[in-house]
Amino acid sequence: MIRAVLFDLDDTLMDHTSAMHAGLDEWCAELGVAQGQHARFSALERKWFSAYERGEVTHQGQRIERCREFLGQTLDDAASLADYDGYLAAYQRNWQAFPDALPALRRALAAGLNVGILTNGAREMQEGKLRAGGLNLPEVQLIATVDLGIPKPQAAAYHEGCRVLRSEPAHTLMVGDSLANDVEGARAAGLQAVYLQRDGSGEISSLDELSF
């Protein structure tokens, strides 16, 4: 029996990829560099965020290194973060929730489940996304692993989510788009999991398919 459900945020509830692409083009236009570098920027995001998840750099450090490598410049930490703030501002202007996100949260709550969002993003930014997407429901708990220093897919991250939701891992469902972070890691920690891929290559292609 499922008593609680944890949702991932980026590319599960919020359309991170579309916001990233639009924000990147705006930022590149401001810097006077070529637009359309989505694949390259995405690869750098995966490279450095994975390094953060492995504990090789801090959350702020992955931003610094991502900016340095993308711009191909030797910048000190402060200059790199200042440049990256331009991207973040453009990224934030393009935040939007997927249409199936709010109905899924409300459906889970209506079923009497404890509901949380387990994200590897920084709390302040993720709270902003929830407000922008109209997903900041008071009954939904945000668990930001940056606060804990234990990002997914470390087992302690899922267990903290279960603790916050007052549910045992075996009775908790994790829903997300990352095979490593939201499915394999969750199952290894004793949770149930559902793999969302909106292109149809996962277990579900829409949150509308979830029933509680």
Side-chain angles (χ1 to χ4, degrees):
M1 177 181 291
I2 297 297
R3 296 174 181 164
V5 57
L6 288 163
F7 290 91
D8 173 56
L9 184 59
D10 291 316
D11 282 332
T12 296
L13 298 175
M14 294 292 295
D15 190 353
H16 163 71
T17 296
S18 293
M20 180 180 67
H21 289 176
L24 177 64
D25 283 344
E26 290 181 21
W27 184 46
C28 287
E30 293 169 4
L31 293 174
V33 301
Q35 298 180 43
Q37 300 187 65
H38 305 151
R40 178 168 170 261
F41 191 81
S42 295
L44 291 174
E45 179 188 49
R46 288 192 300 272
K47 172 184 175 179
W48 286 108
F49 210 82
S50 293
Y52 159 68
E53 291 169 345
R54 293 191 300 268
E56 297 170 3
V57 295
T58 64
H59 189 269
Q60 189 175 65
Q62 61 86 22
R63 290 181 173 180
I64 291 169
E65 297 301 339
R66 193 193 312 182
C67 185
R68 281 176 179 155
E69 190 165 351
F70 181 74
L71 296 179
Q73 298 176 14
T74 303
L75 302 168
D76 63 28
D77 290 358
S80 183
L81 287 172
D83 279 344
Y84 195 74
D85 280 345
Y87 163 69
L88 289 178
Y91 171 54
Q92 291 170 15
R93 289 193 292 270
N94 289 280
W95 284 342
Q96 60 181 350
F98 287 109
D100 56 6
L102 184 59
L105 293 176
R106 287 179 168 163
R107 200 162 60 250
L109 291 168
L113 301 180
N114 292 336
V115 181
I117 296 169
L118 184 64
T119 172
N120 279 356
R123 175 172 294 277
E124 183 178 0
M125 174 175 286
Q126 303 304 65
E127 286 176 341
K129 289 177 186 176
L130 293 177
R131 290 191 296 269
L135 305 180
N136 54 330
L137 304 180
E139 308 93 333
V140 176
Q141 299 291 319
L142 176 66
I143 303 105
T145 65
V146 174
D147 297 344
L148 310 171
I150 45 169
K152 299 178 289 184
Q154 296 183 40
Y158 312 100
H159 293 162
E160 176 63 12
C162 293
R163 186 195 67 77
V164 171
L165 297 187
R166 304 183 304 280
S167 177
E168 294 297 320
H171 298 147
T172 305
L173 176 68
M174 180 81 217
V175 180
D177 70 295
S178 169
L179 184 60
N181 286 358
D182 302 319
V183 180
E184 294 174 343
R187 288 174 179 166
L191 286 72
Q192 301 183 51
V194 171
Y195 184 33
L196 169 69
Q197 285 291 286
R198 295 182 180 275
D199 64 2
S201 62
E203 296 169 336
I204 60 172
S205 59
S206 168
L207 296 175
D208 291 336
E209 298 174 49
L210 291 174
S211 57
F212 303 108

